[in-house]
Amino acid sequence: MKKLLNTLFVTQPDVYLSLDGDNIVLLKEQEKLGRLPLHNLESIVAFGYTGASPAFMGYCAERNISIVFMTMNGRFLARVIGASKGNVILRKKQCLVSESENLSAKIARNFIIGKIYNHKWILERMTRDYPLRVDIGEFKASSRQLSSIMMSIKECEDLERIRGLEGQAALIYNKLFDQMILQQKEEFYFRGRSRRPPLDNVNAMLSLAYTLLANDTASALEGVGLDAYVGFLHRDRPGRASMALDLMEELRGVYADRFVLSLVNKKVMNKEDFVRKENGAVIMTDEGRKKFLTAWQNKKQEKITHPYLGERISWGLVPHAQALLLARYLRNDLDEYPPFLWK
């Protein structure tokens, strides 16, 4: 159980939500796990719940406290709310900002600043932790280039220019990705991003990690009442969760890329976990995918201190924290959207 920005996250599995007066009571096999006043809560997010009492749901509906149900893997199931109040206004504001490229750029640049900052941090940490394994001069020069690009993006209000600068930063970062693979170099290498289909073992893992992260981010957005398909940086396209892709930009490197690198460098994944198809596509075996997904779920349980909120949360709650902050910015409760700047 974790309270964050007036949202209660129930992360233990098989918990029943019940009401006692003006309090939520969390029960597991008739054992009381916790009790918390409801009057300060705006929403409740339950992962892997067993149920909720009608009295509890009615109480929350009357007081505009939303209840969000997720699977233990973080897939969005449903959101229960009472009569429409704030959420309609929030989604209308999201659509209004999305319609304006100028307003969209003011938020999109923060997503990309967060992404580039985290890429820069990854490069700096490699030079600190493995000075004899990487080209320090090249890494430091690339880090300075990323800093320069961030300064250009900071004042940019043009979406196309932001995309162009982001592309430059991605090329600089991707050029060094292969050096960050320290083990199993013959079987795991990175010559460039390939997708649909991935053409090597590393790209196969990156594609799956990005898909999982996009799903987690989409669920987080739905949980706070935002539309995962109405984006700012990624423009509307049928079937594409554009806002989920926006919000995950700042987490790609620090969350997904570092996860993939750790699986290779710690030899969790090996060459037997992949097969190459006749068309050149590389896919994971059933056993490889199982290992990957197990490690992903374990990663989501690891605790960190959120750099903006200053609170200890699990990695799995980071997309939810960022979605909450984005919703607060759109409601004018924050002067600016604070990207996830990890170090």
Side-chain angles (χ1 to χ4, degrees):
M1 183 173 70
K2 177 69 177 177
K3 186 178 176 184
L4 186 68
L5 291 174
N6 298 105
T7 296
L8 176 66
F9 290 93
V10 183
T11 56
Q12 292 192 45
D14 304 323
V15 172
Y16 185 80
L17 313 178
S18 64
L19 183 71
D20 182 10
D22 294 321
N23 303 288
I24 178 176
V25 178
L26 308 176
L27 301 172
K28 185 171 184 178
E29 298 177 354
Q30 302 305 313
E31 178 186 354
K32 185 182 293 186
L33 299 181
R35 175 190 178 96
L36 195 71
L38 285 162
H39 62 270
N40 285 330
L41 292 180
E42 296 177 359
S43 62
I44 298 162
V45 180
F47 294 81
Y49 76 106
T50 57
S53 72
F56 171 74
M57 295 177 72
Y59 181 99
C60 291
E62 288 178 0
R63 289 157 180 81
N64 201 34
I65 302 172
S66 66
I67 308 172
V68 179
F69 298 113
M70 304 266 189
T71 68
M72 279 307 297
N73 290 334
R75 181 170 61 84
F76 177 81
L77 293 175
R79 187 168 189 267
V80 181
I81 58 173
S84 295
K85 296 178 183 177
N87 291 322
V88 169
I89 297 173
L90 177 62
R91 291 202 178 209
K92 286 179 71 175
K93 178 65 178 292
Q94 181 186 1
C95 292
L96 178 67
V97 172
S98 180
E99 287 296 314
S100 167
E101 291 206 1
N102 183 261
L103 293 176
S104 293
K106 292 181 179 180
I107 305 178
R109 66 188 180 195
N110 281 20
F111 295 143
I112 300 305
I113 286 173
K115 177 180 182 178
I116 298 174
Y117 177 95
N118 290 330
H119 282 177
K120 173 183 167 66
W121 172 81
I122 292 171
L123 300 185
E124 290 288 349
R125 183 161 182 169
M126 288 297 297
T127 64
R128 184 193 71 188
D129 294 345
Y130 305 100
L132 302 179
R133 305 287 298 275
V134 301
D135 186 329
I136 292 181
E138 189 176 10
F139 271 64
K140 289 293 186 181
S142 295
S143 177
R144 289 191 294 271
Q145 287 178 288
L146 293 182
S147 294
S148 177
I149 292 173
M150 276 193 289
M151 293 302 295
S152 297
I153 292 176
K154 190 174 181 180
E155 303 301 327
C156 186
E157 297 186 3
D158 180 81
L159 274 179
E160 282 303 315
R161 176 155 172 74
I162 291 173
R163 294 189 188 102
L165 291 168
E166 187 274 334
Q168 293 177 32
L171 287 173
I172 293 167
Y173 169 77
N174 287 338
K175 184 177 63 175
L176 300 177
F177 197 87
D178 189 64
Q179 285 194 54
M180 293 188 276
I181 300 171
L182 305 176
Q183 302 290 338
Q184 309 182 82
K185 295 289 286 185
E186 290 187 6
E187 300 296 334
F188 293 90
Y189 49 82
F190 185 82
R191 304 291 183 261
R193 187 76 178 100
S194 62
R195 58 180 76 83
R196 301 189 190 94
L199 300 177
D200 56 60
N201 298 344
V202 172
N203 272 292
M205 289 191 290
L206 287 173
S207 291
L208 181 53
Y210 293 155
T211 297
L212 294 172
L213 182 57
N215 289 337
D216 289 347
T217 307
S219 294
L221 290 165
E222 294 287 350
V224 300
L226 289 167
D227 192 326
Y229 288 82
V230 179
F232 302 145
L233 178 68
H234 295 83
R235 308 310 286 170
D236 295 348
R237 181 185 298 174
R240 182 172 76 175
S242 297
M243 178 53 71
L245 296 177
D246 282 0
L247 194 63
M248 72 176 277
E249 287 292 352
E250 61 206 71
L251 300 177
R252 280 181 185 269
V254 76
Y255 199 137
D257 292 359
R258 288 183 66 235
F259 172 74
V260 168
L261 288 169
S262 72
L263 293 186
V264 177
N265 292 335
K266 293 179 180 178
K267 299 184 179 180
V268 175
M269 302 290 286
N270 54 62
K271 63 181 181 180
E272 285 76 24
D273 294 320
F274 302 86
V275 293
R276 184 177 295 276
K277 308 292 282 186
E278 291 181 1
N279 64 351
V282 174
I283 62 172
M284 291 185 198
T285 64
D286 290 341
E287 184 62 29
R289 191 178 301 106
K290 181 180 178 181
K291 286 200 296 185
F292 189 98
L293 294 175
T294 299
W296 181 263
Q297 290 304 116
N298 291 337
K299 169 72 174 179
K300 289 169 68 172
Q301 301 304 315
E302 293 178 9
K303 297 290 185 179
I304 64 164
T305 299
H306 192 282
Y308 178 79
L309 300 173
E311 293 195 40
R312 292 281 292 174
I313 63 173
S314 66
W315 267 111
L317 290 185
V318 170
H320 296 269
Q322 295 307 119
L324 284 166
L325 291 169
L326 179 59
R328 292 211 162 187
Y329 169 74
L330 292 173
R331 290 193 183 107
N332 297 318
D333 293 334
L334 294 173
D335 293 333
E336 192 171 7
Y337 167 72
F340 184 81
L341 305 178
W342 185 235
K343 194 171 183 180

